[in-house]
Amino acid sequence: MTRQMTGAEMVVQALIDQGVEHLFGYPGGAVLPIYDELFQQDKIQHILVRHEAGAGHAAEGYARSTGKVGVALVTSGPGATNMVTPLTDALMDSIPMVCITGQVATHLIGSDAFQEADTVGITRPCTKHNWLVKDVNDLGRILHEAFYVARSGRPGPVVVDIPKDVQFATGTYEGPARVEHKTYHPQVRGDQSAIRAAVEMIAKAKKPIFYTGGGVVNSGPEASRLLREFVRLSGIPITSTLMGLGAYPASDKQWLGMLGMHGTFEANNAMHDCDVMIAVGARFDDRITGRLDAFSPGSKKIQIDIDPSSVNKNVRVDIGIIGDVGNVLEEMVRLWREGKHSIDAPALKTWWGEIDRWRARKSLGYRQSGQTIMPQYAIETLYKKTRGRDTYITTEVGQHQMWAAQYFGFEEPNRWMTSGGLGTMGYGLPAAIGVQAAHRDALVIDIAGDASILMNIQELSTAIQHELPVKVFILNNQYMGMVRQWQQLLHGNRLSHSYTDALPDFVKLAEAYGGVGIRAEKVSDLDGAIDEMLATDKPVLFDCRVANLANCFPMIPSGKAHNEMLLSEDATDEAIATAIDEEGKALV
């Protein structure tokens, strides 16, 4: 399909042709021609945010909860530079996003014109690819290429920078048929010999474990289904990274919980002691491995990933399989069934016996007594009251994020949206807005901290305007909790600027925006207050006052191995691991 139209018309037509239904953006001089075209159509809903970063994070939440490409539209200069954090966040967490930015007219580029910035140069390190469009006749093709690059292979963000004169110019629009990037053709089918060797290695294992990541979720629902089938066929225990939660049901008996810095005792010890590790859509990042030279020293490692650069990047593996997780798992399940493979039953029973002893430590144990609300109890209560509902959870970043990962059980993929790789405070509220835009009838909750929520609190206005009834559940401990925890444990309890003084009255703040404010200050308040929140059809700020100095355990201290975890004093076994600082002094 080719026809004549302006560059601004091409942008809108390309979005329609790509099936885009929601667009998150903020207007400015360099994108006004595009906004004029948006005004004259009714197929795409534009959601006006209050800050460009909010548009990027909303697009991330939309993408993560739907599996579709999220789209953001911002102006030149500060509009584009305000997108750097969401773009970096999306790159690190493999979120497909197309960001369209305005640019000054082509004859002004390089002249330090008003609201000019080198958007392509600035965003090159934080995108999969980016384009500066100088010829309107290239615009349609480039826009469709952008969607192809964002969604294919390892998903990620791209930027299309469009000068204002290109938006006004008239040219030939090229439709999406058979459009793909000239050189980017990711390998989706895994090598058969490598897959066969991996299946044989798994079948001979005595102490195997599945280590899964966000790549399973990104591959689509079929990948999650195949993972569940393979895990149950084999009887192998499974753990997951923060980004992979929900790909395997948290209620299943083979689930060991999350691993890593704040993972469970059983998951981390199983990773350390296993003899075969099957890494599926996971990249061995530092929050998972701990000290690299002590990471799972006795195991053979299999890694399945669609990104060739992730294989053998951080940890050397014995078998690397490059391909789409879903395709590779399909082949592995087929070979497992055809070969009638099984793990040695006595060995597997012994392995599960070891795991059950680690489980008996109850590493997520905590003590709820009296009327002061423990944050873990708040999350568990929220989880129990939302079970059975179509619920999507986003988070900000900090202690509350880890508690949500530990105590809120996820049964399905695409229900958990959090900033993993970059750790972006302020992510959760705009991400929740993106999720709610995609799932109007679902329950969407942003689990937040009192410090993080203030990073993008202005987006509550977006939720009010567009009637998106997101719920913000704030664990208010009056600290930057994770910062305070590290200062206590690693910096001699010198709490340097981690107390969040002069906090707003969140109830009044919610009401000022036109939403609903709710507060719970003691345990006896909690059930009724959560019920009230869930029954409200407006955006809610829930101020949950929790214990000020609660720490997030388990914890692998920086520079330590998986089997050197620091556990809460409320874990049941008395032989608690003790963290040691760099000078050899006990921390607790």
Side-chain angles (χ1 to χ4, degrees), residues 77 80-81 103 109 116-124 130 132 161:
T81 59
Q103 184 55 273
I109 292 175
E116 180 191 1
D118 179 9
T119 300
V120 166
I122 291 167
T123 62
R124 185 172 287 118
N130 57 20
L132 171 61
D161 197 33

Side-chain angles (χ1 to χ4, degrees), residues 59-141:
E60 285 189 89
Y62 184 92
R64 184 73 175 173
S65 68
T66 63
K68 300 177 182 178
V69 177
V71 186
L73 172 63
V74 297
T75 195
S76 64
T81 59
N82 281 341
M83 283 295 298
V84 168
T85 296
L87 289 169
T88 309
D89 193 275
L91 184 70
M92 294 193 74
D93 286 347
S94 305
I95 308 300
M97 180 167 68
V98 170
C99 177
I100 298 168
T101 58
Q103 184 55 273
V104 300
T106 51
H107 69 278
L108 292 174
I109 292 175
S111 70
D112 293 332
F114 177 68
Q115 289 195 333
E116 180 191 1
D118 179 9
T119 300
V120 166
I122 291 167
T123 62
R124 185 172 287 118
C126 59
T127 55
K128 282 184 72 175
H129 197 63
N130 57 20
W131 296 261
L132 171 61
V133 185
K134 293 186 176 181
D135 185 342
V136 69
N137 292 298
D138 294 331
L139 181 55
R141 171 184 57 80

Side-chain angles (χ1 to χ4, degrees), residues 164-206:
K164 193 169 184 178
D165 58 326
V166 174
Q167 297 171 42
F168 278 123
T170 299
T172 302
Y173 171 72
E174 183 178 350
R178 297 185 301 280
V179 170
E180 59 183 38
H181 195 267
K182 293 177 182 177
T183 58
Y184 180 61
H185 302 284
Q187 179 180 332
V188 296
R189 294 285 175 186
D191 179 77
Q192 283 294 312
S193 61
I195 295 174
R196 193 173 297 276
V199 169
E200 295 291 338
M201 182 180 287
I202 296 168
K204 294 175 182 175
K206 304 295 184 184

Side-chain angles (χ1 to χ4, degrees), residues 15-16 18-25 38 41-48 55 58-59 62-63 66 68-73 98 147 433-440 466 468:
L15 297 182
I16 293 171
Q18 288 290 338
V20 174
E21 297 176 336
H22 297 90
L23 173 64
F24 305 91
L38 286 170
Q41 59 82 49
D42 59 4
K43 293 183 178 179
I44 302 170
Q45 181 188 4
H46 178 274
I47 295 178
L48 176 67
Y62 184 92
T66 63
K68 300 177 182 178
V69 177
V71 186
L73 172 63
V98 170
F147 278 85
I433 287 170
V435 175
Q436 192 79 79
H439 308 277
R440 286 276 177 171
H466 295 281
L468 300 168

